[in-house]
Amino acid sequence: MSQKGVGIDLDKSLGYLLKEASSALRAAMEEVLRPLGMSVTHYSCLELLAQRPGLSNSELARGAFVTRQSMNVLLQTLERDGYVTRPAEAPVGKVLPARLTPRGRQSLEKATAAVRSVEVRMLAGLTEPEQAGAFRILQSMIHSLRESGDGA
């Protein structure tokens, strides 16, 4: 026996659809990154460092949507494998700023091309104006959630 008015109708829930799209995007990205020996988090870390060299472990973790502990483990692996470099001692406080090595940049170029192919595939059914509209709508949703989430 079903109860009307209880729960969320998943077929009509925009939040559920966004989560499903996010999950499908992540799976498609993992699929193209796997042959390159990368995960989405690995790729995100390299991309963040390419755009903002010297980010701390905490900043990278926030940008890649993982815990500081997970990012620390990843950074140690990336450093050991020659993709990033960090100073032996923190120049200021406790922060060990990370930077891409030439090997990290080369690896990132291949990964970026793979990830771009996924985004092109994802947007293939949309016109340029529809893509621009979707971008604006998603930005607006993020802004609204963040604005209303700070106690307002």
Side-chain angles (χ1 to χ4, degrees):
M1 180 164 113
S2 72
Q3 295 177 324
K4 290 195 177 240
V6 175
I8 294 174
D9 182 350
L10 297 181
D11 291 335
K12 294 179 183 165
S13 169
L14 188 55
Y16 186 79
L17 190 60
L18 283 170
K19 183 65 179 161
E20 191 173 354
S22 174
S23 181
L25 175 60
R26 186 173 185 98
M29 288 173 64
E30 291 284 0
E31 188 177 311
V32 299
L33 290 170
R34 194 173 303 114
L36 302 175
M38 274 191 215
S39 67
V40 171
T41 305
H42 178 146
Y43 162 73
S44 297
C45 179
L46 296 183
E47 189 67 65
L48 285 164
L49 286 173
Q51 293 180 27
R52 294 178 238 149
L55 289 178
S56 70
N57 177 58
S58 294
E59 292 165 327
L60 287 167
R62 275 192 298 279
F65 307 105
V66 297
T67 65
R68 287 191 323 251
Q69 294 83 357
S70 294
M71 183 53 69
N72 192 46
V73 170
L74 175 60
L75 278 172
Q76 288 173 0
T77 301
L78 293 175
E79 189 173 18
R80 183 197 67 215
D81 295 345
Y83 294 102
V84 303
T85 182
R86 295 189 292 175
E89 291 184 21
V92 177
K94 298 179 186 177
V95 176
L96 295 175
R99 296 190 181 278
L100 287 181
T101 63
R103 180 178 186 187
R105 287 193 185 287
Q106 186 177 33
S107 181
L108 176 59
E109 283 179 30
K110 293 175 187 167
T112 298
V115 167
R116 193 170 290 126
S117 74
V118 169
E119 191 161 311
V120 166
R121 191 174 78 191
M122 177 180 70
L123 298 173
L126 300 176
T127 64
E128 280 192 38
E130 288 170 335
Q131 290 177 30
F135 192 81
R136 279 192 308 277
I137 289 167
L138 289 171
Q139 282 183 315
S140 175
M141 289 176 186
I142 292 165
H143 178 76
S144 294
L145 287 170
R146 288 188 176 151
E147 284 290 307
S148 64
D150 46 346

